[in-house]
Amino acid sequence: MDRLDNTIRPYAWGSTTAIPQLLGVEPTGEPQAEMWMGAHPGAPSRTDRGTLVDVIAADPERELGAAAVAKFGPTLPFLLKILAAGAPLSLQVHPNLEQARDGYADEERRGISVDAPYRNYKDANHKPELICALTGFDGLCGFRDPNEAAELLDGLGVDSLKPYVDLLHAHPEDAALREVLTAVLTADREEMARTVAEATAACSRLGGAYAPYADLAHHYPGDPGVIAAMLLNHVRLQPGEALYLGAGIPHAYLDGLGVEIMANSDNVLRCGLTPKHVDVPELLRIVRFEPSDPGVLRPEASPDGEEVYETPIDEFRLSRYVLPAGGAAHDLTRATPQILLCTAGTVRAGEHELTPGRSVFVPAGEKAEVSGAGTVFRATVVA
């Protein structure tokens, strides 16, 4: 197996302290948002054999296994991250596989540079994802029941929000949600900024269920995404709990440290809480306008101590082992590629000693045994 040297992305929303604290190093004072583990060309992990992209490209079947290559092609189908949100991320959705393929092909035909700020599809893949909390973790996930959203907006006492409240009481629910989100995102920017300012003042005054939106507005004053966010479920994860985010589900991460895994894609359609491009027509085509429960996931334990976060897709499978001091070693050998990540304590993986934030890549079929006292996350595929 290969010890991984991973890139930390300094996005502006990143925490300045969470990842350094996990790694046991001094903060630099700069935001450290995401540590990427995998073979994404934007920031591939490095090994003693070269980048993980190069290692896999040299012999895909040896590194990934014949079954994974047959099912997903000659690339690692997932990207594992440590994510540290010190400020809210953009409100966003991801396309399904067909939408991603069509959107990517269309933008390629139109000659839009992959680096263009108004490009929607950076690749032809979908991006289902899972976030597992390492600390208390706040997020937004999926639409509220429209009547609940109407009650929340109405409670602000802002006259310019009354038309949205009335729309949310209309039927059918999907049409009501679509009409309100469309109206919020296409409203006159100056008028919406005034509405957001009034709503922010009310949120700050009322506190309680309104407090998260006051904080959003602090980071993104006047952004219509503040009102759009109030249409969504607010979720507070405890350590070990997770959220699965499928195609078309609007979401945003607000604060906290977590392990994130996703299909190996960078396709994002933004709804707000961002200075970046918002393509409203394309966004409305992708969003699933249906109220839903956030569906907080808790791991399902197996007899061998593996705790699995069940999801409906095959590009990734995330689980963890909480290893007690003096416990028996666990054989994790598998016919598919794996990344093992330590998040607590000290864990031995083969000949490598892993402390929090350290990881290894295990080629398909290679002997993988872990022991020690700590927590190790296991990322692999279903093939």
Side-chain angles (χ1 to χ4, degrees), residues 78 113 242:
F78 65 82
S113 168

Side-chain angles (χ1 to χ4, degrees), residues 7-346:
T7 297
I8 296 176
R9 296 286 208 161
Y11 304 138
W13 50 262
S15 167
T16 58
T17 59
I19 289 179
Q21 185 175 1
L22 180 73
L23 296 173
V25 299
E26 288 295 317
T28 64
E30 299 298 318
Q32 297 189 24
E34 296 179 349
M35 185 168 75
W36 287 23
M37 291 158 280
H40 192 286
S45 297
R46 298 170 293 278
T47 78
D48 289 342
R49 297 189 286 157
T51 71
L52 200 51
V53 168
D54 294 335
V55 167
I56 291 171
D59 194 343
E61 288 206 0
R62 178 184 180 278
E63 304 297 333
L64 305 177
V69 171
K71 190 167 186 176
F72 305 111
T75 58
L76 189 68
F78 65 82
L79 176 63
L80 184 67
K81 299 179 181 180
I82 292 175
L83 182 145
L89 283 68
S90 61
L91 190 60
Q92 58 190 258
V93 296
H94 306 303
N96 63 30
L97 189 55
E98 182 181 1
Q99 291 164 341
R101 288 171 174 168
D102 290 347
Y104 180 78
D106 175 64
E107 291 185 327
E108 287 290 283
R109 277 194 302 271
R110 290 191 282 143
I112 301 174
S113 168
V114 74
D115 296 324
Y118 53 90
R119 173 107 185 198
N120 292 317
Y121 298 95
K122 303 297 178 66
D123 52 68
N125 201 12
H126 62 165
K127 193 186 176 187
E129 62 189 41
L130 177 81
I131 183 78
C132 177
L134 295 178
T135 65
F137 195 97
D138 280 282
L140 303 170
C141 178
F143 284 110
R144 297 175 185 267
D145 178 278
N147 288 319
E148 293 178 9
E151 184 178 348
L152 194 69
L153 291 176
D154 197 33
L156 293 171
V158 175
D159 288 344
S160 53
L161 291 176
K162 298 295 185 185
Y164 303 146
V165 172
D166 293 340
L167 286 171
L168 287 166
H169 286 305
H171 291 281
E173 291 181 334
D174 58 344
L177 290 167
R178 175 183 288 275
E179 196 163 349
V180 172
L181 184 63
T182 303
V184 168
L185 297 181
T186 58
D188 179 84
R189 296 291 293 193
E190 289 187 7
E191 290 181 9
M192 179 53 66
R194 287 193 291 271
T195 295
V196 172
E198 287 185 58
T200 300
C203 286
S204 299
R205 183 179 68 254
L206 293 167
Y210 293 98
Y213 309 102
D215 185 62
L216 286 179
H218 169 74
H219 290 284
Y220 300 101
D223 193 306
V226 175
I227 305 302
M230 298 183 76
L231 303 176
L232 307 186
N233 298 295
H234 175 247
V235 185
R236 173 75 172 177
L237 299 178
Q238 298 305 312
E241 295 181 333
L243 288 175
Y244 171 72
L245 300 157
I249 302 297
H251 62 278
Y253 303 145
L254 305 182
D255 181 73
L257 181 70
V259 173
E260 185 182 33
I261 189 168
M262 62 193 64
N264 198 12
S265 171
D266 199 25
N267 285 326
V268 176
L269 282 298
R270 295 176 178 86
C271 314
L273 308 180
T274 179
K276 295 181 179 179
H277 176 61
V278 177
D279 184 335
V280 175
E282 185 65 8
L283 170 73
L284 297 175
R285 192 177 74 84
I286 299 301
V287 172
R288 288 167 54 186
F289 288 97
E290 54 190 45
S292 61
D293 184 278
V296 174
L297 294 177
R298 295 171 183 84
E300 298 184 13
S302 61
D304 69 349
E306 185 180 25
E307 300 177 344
V308 182
Y309 293 90
E310 297 288 354
T311 64
I313 54 95
D314 293 342
E315 281 88 345
F316 61 76
R317 177 184 184 273
L318 186 71
S319 61
R320 69 175 185 176
Y321 288 82
V322 180
L323 306 174
H330 292 265
D331 185 358
L332 272 58
T333 306
R334 190 177 172 93
T336 51
Q338 305 180 73
I339 291 178
L340 306 179
L341 165 68
C342 177
T343 59
T346 300

